[in-house]
Amino acid sequence: MNHIDKASLSFDELDELNNPRPSEQEFDRVVERAISRRGFLGGAVAFGSAAMMMGTSVLYSGRAEAASRFGFAPIPTSTANTITLPDGYNWQVLVRWADPMWSDGDELDMATGGTGASQAKAFGDNTDGMELFVFGDKQILAINNEYIQNKVLMTNRADGLPTNEDDVAKVKAAHGVSVIEISEADGSWSVVKDSPFNRRITMETEMEVRGPAAGHDLLKTAADPDGAKVLGTWNNCGSGRTPWGTYLTCEENFNGYFGSSDQAIEITDGWQRYGIGTESRYALDKFDPRFDLAENPNEPNRHGYVVEIDPLNPDATPIKRTALGRFKHENAALVIATDGRIVVYLGDDERGEFLYKYVSNDKFVEGGDNSKLLDEGTLYVAKFNDDQTGEWLELTPASTGMSEAEITIFTRMGASKVGATTMDRPEWVAVNPGRVEAYVALTNNRNRGVKPNAGGDPTPVNGPNPREANNYGQIVRWRPDNADHAATNFTWDLYVMAGNPEVHTDAYGGSENVTAGNMFNSPDCVAFDSRGLLWILTDGNYSNEGDFAGQGNNQMLIGDPVSGEIVRFMVGPNECEVTGLTWSADRRTVFVGIQHPGIGDNGAFPDGAGLPRSAIIAIRRDDGAILA
């Protein structure tokens, strides 16, 4: 049997290892056919660009126009191992992986990657979603720490896997959420060490379970016979915030942390649907029975939720809100409907999975008791029609044949039952603050038209997913009927299809608002600023070769929803994903996450020497003016 280096696998690769899916067609042949289908794909380009142009003005194309609209001259792509910005802007590191959050914490030991004790007092690894909260004159950042780079965190272990209990403690402490108070002086930002707001929430933090799944037999374990208390959160991807001032952190690839001491264990339908198998990424199951399927078969059912955290109360217990469903959550985009009910848009980031929304039963009351708004409501899943209409399908016992608790534990299975539209990896959702519309980043899907999803649902080319073997991604926009986010019907269009017009002249070249000057692949994080401009952050192929020639490192762009124009604002360092952003209270600084950076010609980002370290950077204008 060939040895598999699990520490170097991506979460997608681990899913394929645990649950290989049958190919409907030979991959290379399908790609070749898709690229040559100029009749259909030419139509897809026209469809996408026409949809994008609905209700818009003429597209801008020149640098001068962009400079006047966005306030800066767009920048070219870059392969430099640094942050690249337009003239007139500057950046600094706010906080890096392993920076102490308390004065008694240890600085990072570059030879070992630190210890369990040092990591427990330090900023976590691989930043992702984040939100800023204001309390009086204080500013507090809640920041996700999604996962670890095995061979960086455990640089002293040849295979990047834990060999003892302290290694396990370090892995657990590097995950979760970091809450930090920050301050600005003379144009420079820093972490306020020892702030009473500073807090680490990790894989060992106790959490409450609320909503329909709380207390269900499928959530009960020997350690928690009531199914109401869970240890830990991990693989925290995107984020959200509530109007009552709490932070929402979203558990994504939770499945990769479970393995089995019994390699012959039967993989249940529930495990298979979520990519849970006998092999884990971090070997925690070798040390902690909580992660061993043979010992604790219900433990995976206790993860894959949205977790609510009060960032201003370090003593508050985090709450897993099961009513929002269980899947590989990306972010949670919350908006108040016209009648006061809470609407939460949610993407399931896996190839061929679904886009969801939740609508509360009761209304938000400013200053009132809103504690049950995320527990009592209805979960819906999106069905997109090729005529640019769509509907939200209820996930109820009547529509699925499942109990309410089962719907929230096995949400994917419920969505498959009602015939929802399989999507090209739904990532972040962003709600336009100035218009009643929302956007979702569909980052890519090499299996579109090639393989079914994990539940066996076919993934044919369809309206919002118009390209087979889609390695570039797109952003879909929808407008709810009657300008009400709680409505069950909507119209939709394509805001942009990413691509490479330098390599392709068909649909893989992208929509009309993609040019040689702004091209990109794999939109991931999307967020609106106060001006109603859409910030687009990428997590794609940075090889700068083949289909991705000329696209450089991952980047951050800004789009105008009205004109369709998109311009490049920032390029990240080598090998990184650019993900997670928020703004300072005065809107003069944008905080951006740099995840899993690598080592370039000038050494490891951001320090040059030592280990590469994920980081939050702060970007400002040189003149200190309002940025967004």
Side-chain angles (χ1 to χ4, degrees), residues 51 111 136 182 219 386 445 468 577 605 614:
I182 60 173
L219 266 67
D386 285 352
N445 183 3
E468 290 181 335
E577 169 187 352
F605 182 88
S614 61

Side-chain angles (χ1 to χ4, degrees), residues 278-313:
T278 58
E279 299 290 339
S280 68
R281 176 170 172 144
Y282 297 119
L284 298 178
D285 50 301
K286 312 300 183 190
F287 298 89
D288 186 342
R290 186 157 60 102
F291 299 91
D292 186 347
L293 298 174
E295 295 287 333
N296 284 287
N298 277 352
E299 188 65 29
N301 299 333
R302 295 150 63 86
H303 306 279
Y305 298 103
V306 174
V307 181
E308 184 177 15
I309 296 168
D310 186 346
L312 305 182
N313 181 2

